[in-house]
Structure formats: structure tokens, C-alpha cells
Amino acid sequence: MRREVRVDNRFFDDVDAAFRSERGPNGEPSADDFIRLDLFGIQEEVAERFDDLPVEPTAPDVRVLVLTGLMFRQAAVYAAEMPDGIVYLVGLEVDHY
């Protein structure tokens, strides 16, 4: 079942913490790069696979998607379903290249 996925402000806080505000001197990606190049694909993955994603052991109402992207080596994306059935991206942990 395909889910509607939205992005919570907590996710954007994690993006800001994980990425620079501007591209780095050696081409390190910025938060804007991540949002423009990776976020849509992440939303699509969660929308398609939410029900099959593993549950976060410390937060049973949260599911985790682990993936690779254009702007990072690996990331864990945390998503939670709200009472209205909409799924929100609520957290992000990134392992940079």
C-alpha cells in the first residue's frame, strides 16, 4: 500500500545538523544539495515500503529505512505514522562519504 509521506520539522533539523549550510571547500554537499537531490527519492521509498520497514527497537511507533544516496554514503531515515494515516519523516542520521 502506497502511503502519503510528509516531512516533519524534526527531519529538517537533522538535515541542518548533518550537512553544511553551504557547499564545502572540497565540494562537500550542503543541506540544500541533500534536499534537492535526495529527499524526493527518500520520500518515495518510504511511501512504497513503509509497511515493510523494520521497527525502531527504542521507538515501536517508528520505522527505519536504511539507504544510500547521492549526497551521502548511508543514512537511516526514521518515519512514523500519525493517527490520520499520514507518514512523517521524523529523523535522519547520515554517514557521509
Side-chain angles (χ1 to χ4, degrees), residues 47 50 80:
F50 181 79

Side-chain angles (χ1 to χ4, degrees), residues 9-53:
N9 286 334
R10 294 173 287 182
F11 185 86
F12 286 119
D13 291 342
D14 288 349
V15 170
D16 289 340
F19 294 93
R20 300 168 173 261
S21 59
E22 296 182 13
R23 204 169 279 158
N26 297 313
E28 298 91 347
S30 68
D32 187 57
D33 292 331
F34 171 82
I35 291 168
R36 287 186 301 109
L37 299 172
D38 278 314
L39 183 55
F40 178 75
I42 290 170
Q43 284 181 275
E44 287 297 304
E45 281 283 319
V46 172
E48 292 291 332
R49 298 180 45 206
F50 181 79
D51 294 319
D52 298 323
L53 295 176

Side-chain angles (χ1 to χ4, degrees), residues 4 8-9 18-19 23 33 38 52-54 56 59 64-65 81 88 90 94:
E4 180 178 346
D8 188 89
N9 286 334
F19 294 93
R23 204 169 279 158
D33 292 331
D38 278 314
D52 298 323
L53 295 176
E56 168 59 38
V64 183
L65 171 66
E81 182 179 11
Y88 282 83
V90 295
V94 175

